[in-house]
Amino acid sequence: MFEQILAAKERLQGHVNVTPIMTSRTLNRRVGAEIYFKCENLQRIGAFKFRGAFNSISKLSKTEKARGVITYSSGNHAQAVALVGRMLDIQTTIVMPNDAPETKRTATEGYGATIVEYDSESADRKDVAETLQAENGFTMIPPFDHPDVIAGQGTAALEMFDQVGRLDALLVPCGGGGLLSGSAIAAKNIHPDCRVIGVEPELADDATKSFYTKKLHHIKNPPTIADGTRTPSLGKITFPLVLEYVDEMKTVSEKAIIDAVKFFFYRMKLVVEPSGALGLSAILSRNVIPKGRVGIIISGGNIDAATMTMILNS
């Protein structure tokens, strides 16, 4: 899989933003370590998801592209697939929950995608998408459980190591495990001693339970503010990769997530969505005690005004 990540890096050149690394002297003094943030909130469409979407869709055959692409996503992967579809002149259909963040839905529509809504309380998004795929012959590009998607996401960590060199630890948000597994594979192949830690909300701790019990756990529609982590479980591909390459899983409270979003906004002048703030929240809440040089991937910055207003007023 590491070879696939290297190939994805070449494929993405000229299309992906080489996102910056940012630091905070205030934070470093506070926690007693050197913290480096990989700002994927400044990636195209505002999240790391562009990497996996472009890598997987650009590899499709002419026939597959001509049939159109379908996916299911609450927001960031939806936007990424829609943008890549516009770039490559491919029809895209996105299955989205009817309560998806408005900013993510509007952006997805703006890139030209056809949106099919579903009720997350009564229907399964994957089932809805697969039905549409069977009816229309679309090519499925799932949000995380696909080798080419995982390889694309892994380029974020690969790029980070190019920028900062050796790290003692790498903290990565975890939803379906695409970014986490891809980043862990990259880290272990470049610096085997780097400790890879996945972070997810306490209210959506399916991956943490799965990691420690070695059995796949599911949580349907977890009520976390971190909407990018509301996937019900790790995937058939990502679960074994997480077990093999990740060293530790940690969870954080909703308050810790909110505090991290506020820190980014007020102290670093960064707009970060709750899912993207998970790594920092683990450090600020002392659920992870950082030592030495620590990398944190900020996975995205797509947050709607109502949510940000609520956070800043809390």
Side-chain angles (χ1 to χ4, degrees), residues 91-118:
Q91 175 193 354
T92 57
T93 300
I94 317 293
V95 175
M96 295 186 78
N98 52 18
D99 60 350
E102 188 60 34
T103 53
K104 296 180 180 181
R105 180 193 172 103
T106 300
T108 302
E109 289 178 320
Y111 292 131
T114 298
I115 293 179
V116 177
E117 285 191 357
Y118 76 99

Side-chain angles (χ1 to χ4, degrees), residues 13 30 92 138 142 149 198 204 238 263:
Q13 282 189 357
R30 178 171 169 179
T92 57
F138 298 139
V149 172
T238 59
F263 185 95

Side-chain angles (χ1 to χ4, degrees), residues 150-212:
I150 295 167
Q153 318 305 28
T155 63
L158 191 66
E159 195 174 280
M160 185 176 197
F161 284 108
D162 286 343
Q163 293 167 301
V164 304
R166 181 191 61 80
L167 292 171
D168 295 297
L170 177 65
L171 276 65
V172 186
C174 181
L179 177 63
L180 176 56
S181 57
S183 297
I185 292 167
K188 293 302 184 181
N189 277 272
I190 298 171
H191 295 292
D193 293 334
C194 176
R195 188 165 184 82
V196 179
I197 303 170
V199 186
E200 64 180 353
E202 290 176 355
L203 296 179
D205 64 346
D206 57 279
T208 300
K209 289 176 178 175
S210 300
F211 182 81
Y212 289 110

